Amino acid sequence: MTTLRAGWIITLRELAHWAREPWGPIFNLLFSIMLLLVFGFLFGGAITLPGGGDYITYLLPGMMALSMMFGVESTATAMANDARKGITDRFRSMPIGSASVALGRVGADMANSAIELLVLIVGGLLIGWRITSDPASAVLAVLLLLLLRFAVLWIGIFLGLTFRGEGATTAVQVLVWPIGFLSTAIVSPETMPAWLGALAEWNPLSATATAARELFGNPTGITEGVLADAAIWLAIGWPVLLVAIFAPLSARAYRRLRA
């Protein structure tokens, strides 16, 4: 059996689990919607964007990027649980490629991410967000968001295989929350202290959020700096770099697993 075919079968296994127990993906989606409503309607009236523009149209692409980051927690937890329960060792005993298990998990999570993005886009349109660019640019924005998710999934897989049990969840929470909020997802870096804004600008999440805003035709909240000139290229380069680092590390962690 080829690696891709085995990965597809494992993807179907993960999707079947979600069909029987859909509450995990549903709660992740509801959490993203809750953050959108809180920041958009509770705090949004107090936030002014550099360069002008409506805050809701600024926030939506940022929340999409943030949701791509937050989903890594479920990936790490699922991989850690499979490793702890011996399920991963059963896969290792089968005549399938060593990458099949990770590819299966990535395939299932990417399908879930596409659905999550669709729901956020529809929800955003219902509360007044608009896409003012051409369809090709909007599609590219969605692809960049999914590329970010693809990259952070490999981080989740690596952490899940390295830290078993509750350690994986804790490691991801410690990683995701600071990175998620120290970015341009919710506020412009130009409203931050200079040193903090510089850190936010070089956050991979910031590159994707800013590039998505550009491509959707929304205000970016950026008037100068590296994101004003090269957000789209950074939104491609950062995920490629993360995959290049964490995919081999994930493969190494998988090979070194012990029951």
Side-chain angles (χ1 to χ4, degrees), residues 28-45 47 54-67 70 116-129 177 181 185-186 213:
N28 285 338
L29 180 58
L30 290 177
F31 179 71
S32 297
I33 294 174
M34 181 196 70
L35 286 180
L36 170 63
L37 296 176
V38 167
F39 283 99
F41 295 102
L42 188 60
F43 302 141
I47 298 177
D54 179 65
Y55 182 66
I56 286 292
T57 57
Y58 172 87
L59 181 64
L60 252 296
M63 290 307 306
M64 293 176 195
L66 202 58
S67 69
F70 281 159
E116 188 172 352
L117 270 182
L118 177 61
V119 172
L120 286 174
I121 288 172
V122 172
L125 293 172
L126 291 176
I127 64 173
W129 174 66
W177 285 92
F181 286 102
I186 295 172
R213 291 180 180 119

Side-chain angles (χ1 to χ4, degrees), residues 163-185:
F163 302 98
R164 302 192 187 188
E166 296 299 324
T169 302
T170 302
V172 173
Q173 289 174 342
V174 169
L175 175 72
V176 165
W177 285 92
I179 292 178
F181 286 102
L182 183 56
S183 70
T184 66

